[in-house]
Short mmCIF file of all heavy atoms in Angstrom, two decimals:
data_model
loop_
_atom_site.label_atom_id
_atom_site.label_comp_id
_atom_site.label_asym_id
_atom_site.label_seq_id
_atom_site.Cartn_x
_atom_site.Cartn_y
_atom_site.Cartn_z
N HIS R 162 -24.70 15.66 25.01
CA HIS R 162 -23.87 16.44 24.10
C HIS R 162 -24.34 17.90 24.06
O HIS R 162 -25.53 18.17 23.90
CB HIS R 162 -23.98 15.81 22.70
CG HIS R 162 -22.93 16.29 21.75
ND1 HIS R 162 -22.96 17.53 21.18
CD2 HIS R 162 -21.81 15.69 21.28
CE1 HIS R 162 -21.91 17.69 20.40
NE2 HIS R 162 -21.20 16.57 20.43
N SER R 163 -23.38 18.82 24.20
CA SER R 163 -23.75 20.22 24.35
C SER R 163 -24.57 20.74 23.17
O SER R 163 -25.42 21.61 23.32
CB SER R 163 -22.50 21.07 24.53
OG SER R 163 -21.66 20.91 23.41
N ARG R 164 -24.31 20.19 21.98
CA ARG R 164 -25.04 20.68 20.81
C ARG R 164 -26.48 20.17 20.79
O ARG R 164 -27.36 20.81 20.23
CB ARG R 164 -24.30 20.30 19.53
CG ARG R 164 -22.95 21.00 19.40
CD ARG R 164 -23.09 22.50 19.20
NE ARG R 164 -23.80 22.82 17.99
CZ ARG R 164 -23.23 22.93 16.79
NH1 ARG R 164 -21.95 22.75 16.66
NH2 ARG R 164 -23.96 23.23 15.74
N ILE R 165 -26.72 19.01 21.39
CA ILE R 165 -28.10 18.54 21.50
C ILE R 165 -28.83 19.45 22.49
O ILE R 165 -29.96 19.88 22.26
CB ILE R 165 -28.17 17.08 21.97
CG1 ILE R 165 -27.56 16.17 20.91
CG2 ILE R 165 -29.61 16.67 22.27
CD1 ILE R 165 -27.61 14.70 21.23
N ALA R 166 -28.14 19.77 23.57
CA ALA R 166 -28.72 20.66 24.58
C ALA R 166 -29.11 21.99 23.94
O ALA R 166 -30.18 22.55 24.22
CB ALA R 166 -27.73 20.87 25.71
N LEU R 167 -28.24 22.48 23.04
CA LEU R 167 -28.54 23.74 22.35
C LEU R 167 -29.76 23.59 21.44
O LEU R 167 -30.66 24.43 21.44
CB LEU R 167 -27.34 24.14 21.48
CG LEU R 167 -26.35 25.12 22.04
CD1 LEU R 167 -25.30 25.45 20.98
CD2 LEU R 167 -27.04 26.39 22.51
N SER R 168 -29.77 22.51 20.65
CA SER R 168 -30.88 22.30 19.72
C SER R 168 -32.20 22.23 20.45
O SER R 168 -33.20 22.80 20.02
CB SER R 168 -30.71 20.98 18.96
OG SER R 168 -29.52 20.99 18.27
N ILE R 169 -32.21 21.51 21.56
CA ILE R 169 -33.47 21.28 22.25
C ILE R 169 -34.02 22.59 22.81
O ILE R 169 -35.23 22.78 22.88
CB ILE R 169 -33.31 20.20 23.36
CG1 ILE R 169 -34.68 19.71 23.82
CG2 ILE R 169 -32.52 20.70 24.54
CD1 ILE R 169 -35.40 18.89 22.80
N GLY R 170 -33.12 23.50 23.16
CA GLY R 170 -33.57 24.79 23.68
C GLY R 170 -34.53 25.47 22.73
O GLY R 170 -35.50 26.10 23.15
N LYS R 171 -34.27 25.30 21.45
CA LYS R 171 -35.08 26.01 20.45
C LYS R 171 -36.40 25.30 20.16
O LYS R 171 -37.32 25.91 19.65
CB LYS R 171 -34.29 26.10 19.13
CG LYS R 171 -33.10 27.01 19.21
CD LYS R 171 -32.36 26.99 17.86
CE LYS R 171 -30.86 26.94 18.07
NZ LYS R 171 -30.15 26.22 17.02
N ILE R 172 -36.47 24.00 20.45
CA ILE R 172 -37.64 23.26 19.97
C ILE R 172 -38.43 22.54 21.06
O ILE R 172 -39.39 21.86 20.76
CB ILE R 172 -37.21 22.21 18.92
CG1 ILE R 172 -36.21 21.23 19.53
CG2 ILE R 172 -36.64 22.87 17.68
CD1 ILE R 172 -35.96 20.03 18.64
N GLN R 173 -38.02 22.72 22.31
CA GLN R 173 -38.62 21.94 23.39
C GLN R 173 -40.15 21.87 23.33
O GLN R 173 -40.75 20.86 23.65
CB GLN R 173 -38.16 22.48 24.75
CG GLN R 173 -38.68 21.71 25.96
CD GLN R 173 -38.10 20.29 26.04
OE1 GLN R 173 -36.91 20.10 26.29
NE2 GLN R 173 -38.95 19.29 25.81
N LYS R 174 -40.79 22.95 22.89
CA LYS R 174 -42.25 22.97 22.93
C LYS R 174 -42.89 22.35 21.70
O LYS R 174 -44.09 22.13 21.67
CB LYS R 174 -42.74 24.40 23.11
CG LYS R 174 -42.53 24.88 24.53
CD LYS R 174 -43.34 26.12 24.81
CE LYS R 174 -43.20 26.50 26.27
NZ LYS R 174 -42.90 27.92 26.44
N ASN R 175 -42.09 22.10 20.69
CA ASN R 175 -42.64 21.53 19.47
C ASN R 175 -42.47 20.00 19.51
O ASN R 175 -41.40 19.47 19.25
CB ASN R 175 -41.91 22.13 18.26
CG ASN R 175 -42.54 21.71 16.96
OD1 ASN R 175 -42.99 20.57 16.81
ND2 ASN R 175 -42.58 22.62 16.01
N ILE R 176 -43.58 19.33 19.83
CA ILE R 176 -43.51 17.88 20.06
C ILE R 176 -42.97 17.15 18.83
O ILE R 176 -42.14 16.25 18.92
CB ILE R 176 -44.91 17.32 20.42
CG1 ILE R 176 -45.52 18.10 21.56
CG2 ILE R 176 -44.82 15.84 20.78
CD1 ILE R 176 -44.78 18.07 22.84
#
Side-chain angles (χ1 to χ4, degrees):
Chain R
H162 194 286
S163 59
R164 294 292 298 274
I165 295 182
L167 263 184
S168 301
I169 195 70
K171 291 178 222 149
I172 59 169
Q173 182 67 69
K174 285 196 176 132
N175 187 323
I176 308 298

